[in-house]
């Protein structure tokens, strides 16, 4: 192994010159920072008044300072970008990334009329942005868009959409900053509604609305949180007037004020307590491990939710979900008021003093068969409400991956929007109707439908007898 070494070239001595004999005195003067102008011949490069730097000689003139480099701009991620000359308008750059001059920000409802945007007063500061097409949203938000197309996109008419934006304006509105104009409230609400209605990936939502992917994600979370915090207490509430008359006309049962139903929303495997969210029925149906959260709701005769319980693990039975919900505690303490007021539920719920459930055993009598028919008619309101809920907001049909707190807000927002549409008279197209998986009554064992009150069992028999001999017009026999 050989190594090549560059030949050494001796450096010229600093003291080479006609006065080399005085090198010791000159070096001493140099170390003592003495006036070197007295020995210009010894130090040809440092002596004299024309070339001496200011820190070497007291009598020398200072050199002009170097030209200051233009400041570099800072990006949002803390990285520096090179300075672009003021004359460069960015036309020579690729169309995907151009420089936007904030003196002329994009037009938005926040800046229509009145003073100019705050960015116009910032002295023409430039930032890097990516130009995105907003053609799709501009067409839907324009007055020329047909109402039928708008309703199909956002599951509600334009008038209902405007009313919803007015309710959420104070909670979701943002202020303009020195860098950019705020996204209008109508566009923010539309992003959330489209995401909930279609379940599209955020990349597609970003392409449609001309916004960044992370921006769309944050908008969906913020609007869902606003719907849950602002409108949930007002939209999902117990009725002030008893709906017993409506239910009696629907099913023939006296004193029924609501129908209880429990459905499951598929989710990805959570990080914590995976076994609690494991859903056996979904696993058997899908032939793969499935996880879910339970959604229990009380529905009135018009199909609106009057009470919801969201987020309990999917491994729980319907009876266990009911027992852990706040509804159970309120009913046990007499929230329904009159002793004659009751709820109706399926065969998976227990028979109590305040809930009627169908007979689950075989070889039913005529009276028991008539009773089960009327129970099914009363529960049809709740089943239809959940079909419209999952049909309007198809994100509930797909497996979602958000964090559980965000998932609870998303489900709560869908329940709020369901009531908002139902009470506004919004009809759902038949193509959007969702088919619920009906539970097979043959799988319900006796322990799943226990009789918790002997008085409730006798009352159920009395109601069944009255339905049979009372001659309700909708009672049929096989």
């Amino acid at each position: 192994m050989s190594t090549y070494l560059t030949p050494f070239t001796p450096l010229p001595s600093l003291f080479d010159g006609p006065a080399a004999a005085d090198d010791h005195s000159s070096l001493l003067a140099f170390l003592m920072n003495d006036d070197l102008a007295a020995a210009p011949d010894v130090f040809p490069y440092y002596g004299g008044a024309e070339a001496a730097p200011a820190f070497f000689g007291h009598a020398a003139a200072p050199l002009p300072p170097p030209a200051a480099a233009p400041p570099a701009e800072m990006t949002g991620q803390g990285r520096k970008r090179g300075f672009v000359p003021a004359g460069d308008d960015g036309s020579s750059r690729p169309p995907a990334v151009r420089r936007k001059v904030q003196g002329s920000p994009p037009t938005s409802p926040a800046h229509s009329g009145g003073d100019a945007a705050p960015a116009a007063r910032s002295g023409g500061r430039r930032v890097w942005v990516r130009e995105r097409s907003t053609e799709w949203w501009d067409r839907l938000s324009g007055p020329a868009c047909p109402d039928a197309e708008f309703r199909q996109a956002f599951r509600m008419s334009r008038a209902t959409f405007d009313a919803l934006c007015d309710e959420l304006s104070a909670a979701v509105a943002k202020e303009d900053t020195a860098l950019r104009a705020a996204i209008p409230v109508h566009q923010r609400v539309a992003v959330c509604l489209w995401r909930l209605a279609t379940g599209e990936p955020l990349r597609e939502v970003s392409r449609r609305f001309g916004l960044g992917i992370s921006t769309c994600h944050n908008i969906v979370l913020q609007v869902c949180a606003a719907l849950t915090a602002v409108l949930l207490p007002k939209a999902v509430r117990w009725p002030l007037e008893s709906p017993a008359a409506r239910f009696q006309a629907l099913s023939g049962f006296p004193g029924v004020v609501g129908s209880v139903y429990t459905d499951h929303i598929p989710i990805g495997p959570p990080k914590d307590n995976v076994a609690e969210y494991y859903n056996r029925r979904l696993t058997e149906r899908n032939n793969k491990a499935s996880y879910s959260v339970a959604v229990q709701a009380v529905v009135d005769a018009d199909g609106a939710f009057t009470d919801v319980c969201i987020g309990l693990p999917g491994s729980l039975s319907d009876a266990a979900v009911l027992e852990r919900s706040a509804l159970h505690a309120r009913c046990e303490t007499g929230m329904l008021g009159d002793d004659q007021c009751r709820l109706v539920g399926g065969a998976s719920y227990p028979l109590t003093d305040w809930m009627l459930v169908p007979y689950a055993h075989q070889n039913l009598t005529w009276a028991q068969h008539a009773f089960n028919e009327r129970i099914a008619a009363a529960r049809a309101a709740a089943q239809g409400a959940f079909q419209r809920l999952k049909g309007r907001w198809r994100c509930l049909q797909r497996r979602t991956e958000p964090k559980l707190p965000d998932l609870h807000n998303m489900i709560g927002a869908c329940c709020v929007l369901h009531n908002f549409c139902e009470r506004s008279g919004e009809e759902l197209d038949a193509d959007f109707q969702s088919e619920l998986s009906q539970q097979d009554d043959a799988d319900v064992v006796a322990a799943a439908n226990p009789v918790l009150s002997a008085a409730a069992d006798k009352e159920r028999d009395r109601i069944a007898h009255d339905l049979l001999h009372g001659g309700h017009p909708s009672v049929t026999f096989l």
Side-chain angles (χ1 to χ4, degrees):
M1 180 177 180
S2 60
T3 303
Y4 175 77
L5 298 178
T6 304
F8 174 75
T9 302
L11 296 176
S13 175
L14 182 64
F15 302 102
D16 291 343
D22 299 334
D23 54 353
H24 294 288
S25 60
S26 301
L27 178 60
L28 182 60
F30 171 74
L31 294 177
M32 296 179 62
N33 197 19
D34 201 352
D35 191 358
L36 302 182
D41 296 334
V42 178
F43 294 94
Y45 297 103
Y46 297 97
E50 296 182 357
F55 56 85
F56 275 115
H58 302 293
L63 293 176
E73 297 184 359
M74 300 295 294
T75 66
Q77 291 79 13
R79 298 190 297 269
K80 293 185 179 180
R81 287 197 179 103
F83 178 79
V84 179
D88 185 8
D89 59 353
S91 59
S92 61
R93 299 183 176 276
V97 180
R98 294 184 186 273
R99 184 181 71 248
K100 177 177 289 186
V101 180
Q102 291 197 352
S104 57
T107 305
S108 66
H111 291 299
S112 57
D115 297 336
R121 301 189 295 268
S122 62
R125 183 179 178 183
R126 296 176 174 88
V127 294
W128 292 100
V129 296
R130 179 178 180 180
E131 293 184 353
R132 303 176 187 269
S133 174
T134 59
E135 178 182 359
W136 184 86
W137 164 242
D138 293 339
R139 181 176 58 83
L140 280 181
S141 60
C145 178
D147 193 67
E149 184 178 357
F150 190 91
R151 180 184 289 107
Q152 186 176 14
F154 301 110
R155 307 300 192 261
M156 61 183 66
S157 64
R158 194 182 299 271
T160 306
F161 177 80
D162 292 338
L164 178 64
C165 292
D166 292 340
E167 293 282 348
L168 297 175
S169 177
V172 303
K174 303 295 181 180
E175 296 182 357
D176 296 336
T177 65
L179 296 180
R180 60 181 60 87
I183 301 173
V185 173
H186 282 65
Q187 188 175 4
R188 297 174 70 87
V189 176
V191 169
C192 181
L193 293 184
W194 179 263
R195 168 71 168 168
L196 298 180
T198 63
E200 276 190 350
L202 288 172
R203 185 178 299 276
E204 294 297 323
V205 180
S206 167
R207 181 182 61 82
R208 290 181 182 274
F209 288 90
L211 301 173
I213 296 178
S214 60
T215 302
C216 292
H217 176 67
N218 292 332
I219 287 176
V220 172
L221 295 183
Q222 292 168 6
V223 176
C224 285
L227 284 168
T228 306
V230 177
L231 294 184
L232 183 62
K234 297 189 294 185
V236 181
R237 65 182 185 274
W238 200 258
L240 300 178
E241 298 180 0
S242 175
R246 298 289 307 275
F247 267 108
Q248 186 169 3
L250 181 65
S251 62
F253 282 126
V256 174
V257 296
S259 177
V260 183
Y261 194 88
T262 301
D263 199 7
H264 289 260
I265 307 302
I267 63 172
K271 295 182 179 180
D272 300 327
N273 303 323
V274 178
E276 293 186 3
Y277 293 89
Y278 177 79
N279 191 308
R280 179 180 57 84
R281 292 185 178 179
L282 287 179
T283 299
E284 293 176 355
R285 186 189 313 148
N286 301 333
N287 293 325
K288 63 179 181 179
S290 301
Y291 306 87
S292 67
V293 294
V295 179
Q296 174 191 277
V298 180
V299 184
D300 61 13
D302 298 327
F305 298 137
T306 59
D307 183 89
V308 292
C309 177
I310 301 170
L312 289 176
S315 62
L316 300 176
S317 63
D318 293 351
V321 172
L322 175 65
E323 185 177 359
R324 294 191 183 187
S325 65
L327 174 68
H328 183 272
R330 292 198 299 266
C331 291
E332 287 290 335
T333 57
M335 181 202 70
L336 299 180
D338 191 0
D339 293 339
Q340 300 299 322
C341 294
R342 300 181 181 87
L343 301 173
V344 293
S348 57
Y349 293 103
L351 176 64
T352 63
D353 295 332
W354 44 269
M355 176 175 287
L356 294 174
V357 298
Y359 293 95
H361 58 267
Q362 302 294 328
N363 302 323
L364 301 177
T365 64
W366 286 3
Q368 292 170 348
H369 174 76
F371 181 88
N372 283 3
E373 272 196 345
R374 296 299 86 220
I375 285 283
R379 295 187 68 235
Q383 294 174 351
F386 270 90
Q387 287 178 350
R388 294 190 296 275
L389 171 70
K390 301 181 77 170
R392 278 194 181 99
W393 316 112
R394 294 194 171 184
C395 64
L396 302 179
Q397 301 182 28
R398 302 184 178 183
R399 192 179 78 167
T400 56
E401 304 290 344
K403 300 177 182 179
L404 289 181
D406 298 335
L407 176 65
H408 298 168
N409 282 340
M410 185 188 75
I411 299 174
C414 292
C415 294
V416 170
L417 294 172
H418 169 83
N419 279 11
F420 206 84
C421 292
E422 292 288 321
R423 290 168 178 163
S424 300
E426 299 290 342
E427 301 215 354
L428 183 64
D429 295 341
D431 298 339
F432 293 148
Q433 289 283 352
S434 171
E435 295 183 1
L436 292 180
S437 58
Q438 302 298 331
Q439 297 178 358
D440 189 3
D441 290 341
D443 294 339
V444 179
V445 296
N449 187 4
V451 177
L452 301 183
S453 172
D457 193 18
K458 292 181 180 180
E459 182 66 15
R460 181 173 65 172
D461 293 340
R462 185 192 65 80
I463 295 175
H465 181 272
D466 292 345
L467 285 175
L468 177 62
H469 297 282
H472 194 272
S474 60
V475 176
T476 59
F477 300 99
L478 298 177

